[in-house]
Amino acid sequence: MAKLEACDGCVDLDRERFEFHIAVVHLDGSWSFPSSLDEADGSDGALPPRRWSFPSAVRRLAELDLDVIVPHMFCVEGMTRFRSLVDLLDIPLLGNHDHTIWLATDKAITKQILHANGIQVPQGELLQKFHCEWPTMKVPVVVKPCNEDNSRGISLVKHEEDLKFAIDHAFSFDSRVVVEEYIAGREVRAGVIEEDGGLTVLPKVEYFLKDIRTAAHKLQTDSSGNLLNKAIVAAKQDGDRQCPADLSDVLHQRIDAMVTKAHHVLKCRHYSLYDIRIDENEQPFILEVSPALSLAAQDSKLFSTPRSVRNGHIKLKLQ
């Protein structure tokens, strides 16, 4: 019987054919192997599961004889160090290697790599705390921390007098900040998966925005800034997105060619996800790359589109 490590919050898990295990890494470095996520956080009222030291947890992983591990840790260590650990243990891992994620989560490096390979990205500059803290670019610009997710610390600056506040705000999240040109227009998300020896571009999602996607579009918080339960679902508003996106054939082709090339250039594996801005001339620009996929409802729906309803996808032979 195949064994997987996966989030049991996914309602579509086939527990008749597969056996699932959960491994939790705690903030103090210890591990636990709860039977459910409710047991892991104590919400079921039962005693917390046994804590394992790191060496004992590694031995436990080996004893489980896992067929594949599905990672759900989205901190820097979870996306790099622990993926490296899985590779060292010779356990198959779903998703991208740690070296791909390390590069793709650095917005400045991602921009440089894509641009060097002829893939359109917004023009931008890298600011560094105590070294270069002011851009030469003129507004309107988008200011964002170099290594941050869910649009935390991002600002759209349309007036010069607001630029310093936006830069200081971004520096409060990271010592490196990207300032890039604002591409007015539409915004879509495109996912790429590897299947049948080729690449498939999945149906695209269009977000209907006034200007840019901010943290408020992605995570709902209370008045104190703390995340609400089901923060991702709570942030979604009716009518704020459409899938599949209503794009022209030319635009579909441009985006398909762009994201499949980016998948190769960044050495992605199994899947990759791209946020794209489209200007008034139907020219697409990659804003960011997401090489670490969550099984949150909003992400998993995009990647679990049945073949029978896929629309406008392409397949390219893997090299």
Side-chain angles (χ1 to χ4, degrees):
M1 181 177 292
K3 297 179 180 179
L4 303 171
E5 181 209 39
C7 172
D8 69 349
C10 181
V11 298
D12 295 325
L13 297 181
D14 187 346
R15 298 184 183 276
E16 293 185 2
R17 297 178 55 208
F18 302 101
E19 182 179 345
F20 297 88
H21 297 270
I22 300 171
V24 178
V25 181
H26 300 273
L27 293 178
D28 62 2
S30 65
W31 292 50
S32 64
F33 295 87
S35 59
S36 69
L37 291 181
D38 288 338
E39 180 186 348
D41 63 15
S43 59
D44 62 355
L47 292 175
R50 169 188 169 184
R51 293 290 186 99
W52 300 63
S53 66
F54 177 75
S56 298
V58 171
R59 288 196 295 270
R60 174 62 174 159
L61 286 177
E63 292 170 355
L64 288 173
D65 190 27
L66 300 168
D67 289 313
V68 63
I69 285 182
V70 183
H72 298 280
M73 297 173 65
F74 298 104
C75 59
V76 172
E77 285 200 344
M79 293 192 292
T80 56
R81 175 187 172 193
F82 287 99
R83 287 174 185 256
S84 295
L85 171 65
V86 172
D87 280 341
L88 289 173
L89 295 174
D90 288 327
I91 303 174
L93 180 137
L94 178 66
N96 290 291
H97 291 291
D98 61 296
H99 54 261
T100 293
I101 292 182
W102 186 265
L103 293 176
T105 53
D106 186 305
K107 296 177 176 59
I109 293 178
T110 301
K111 181 186 294 291
Q112 292 168 0
I113 293 174
L114 295 179
H115 177 70
N117 284 274
I119 299 172
Q120 288 193 126
V121 295
Q123 295 182 17
E125 299 178 36
L126 175 64
L127 307 183
Q128 299 185 64
K129 194 71 174 175
F130 307 120
H131 178 65
C132 175
E133 299 187 4
W134 196 257
T136 61
M137 298 182 65
K138 302 300 181 182
V139 297
V141 293
V142 176
V143 180
K144 52 190 175 184
C146 196
N147 291 278
E148 191 58 65
D149 295 321
N150 291 312
S151 294
R152 284 161 46 88
I154 192 171
S155 302
L156 169 60
V157 181
K158 297 181 179 180
H159 305 287
E160 194 73 27
E161 59 268 25
D162 298 326
L163 186 56
K164 185 179 187 307
F165 178 84
I167 292 174
D168 290 343
H169 180 57
F171 271 134
S172 70
F173 290 87
D174 194 355
S175 61
R176 300 167 70 242
V177 167
V178 171
V179 178
E180 64 183 23
E181 65 173 322
Y182 170 56
I183 306 294
R186 305 166 70 179
E187 186 164 326
V188 302
R189 171 167 283 192
V192 177
I193 60 172
E194 298 177 5
E195 62 176 359
D196 301 332
L199 293 182
T200 298
V201 180
L202 298 176
K204 304 168 186 70
V205 179
E206 178 170 6
Y207 298 99
F208 301 116
L209 305 166
K210 180 180 179 181
D211 37 51
I212 65 172
R213 293 184 78 204
T214 65
H217 290 97
K218 301 178 181 181
L219 297 172
Q220 191 72 29
T221 61
D222 60 22
S223 58
S224 300
N226 298 314
L227 291 178
L228 298 176
N229 291 332
K230 299 183 178 180
I232 296 176
V233 176
K236 183 182 181 301
Q237 302 294 323
D238 289 340
D240 68 350
R241 66 197 69 187
Q242 177 179 315
C243 182
D246 184 13
L247 308 176
S248 68
D249 291 342
V250 170
L251 190 48
H252 273 299
Q253 293 170 7
R254 288 173 177 170
I255 293 175
D256 291 347
M258 166 183 281
V259 296
T260 50
K261 184 175 181 178
H263 186 92
H264 284 301
V265 165
L266 296 172
K267 307 298 184 186
C268 294
R269 183 181 67 165
H270 299 158
Y271 55 75
S272 56
L273 194 62
Y274 304 88
D275 289 327
I276 299 165
R277 200 77 180 188
I278 303 164
D279 69 12
E280 60 183 359
N281 298 315
E282 291 204 326
Q283 290 297 325
F285 298 78
I286 291 182
L287 299 179
E288 295 182 17
V289 179
S290 177
L293 174 68
S294 78
L295 290 188
Q298 304 309 316
D299 282 342
S300 60
K301 285 179 181 178
L302 178 62
F303 279 89
S304 61
T305 309
R307 294 190 185 204
S308 60
V309 299
R310 289 182 188 165
N311 178 35
H313 72 268
I314 67 168
K315 290 189 177 180
L316 298 179
K317 185 178 181 181
L318 284 172
Q319 301 299 320

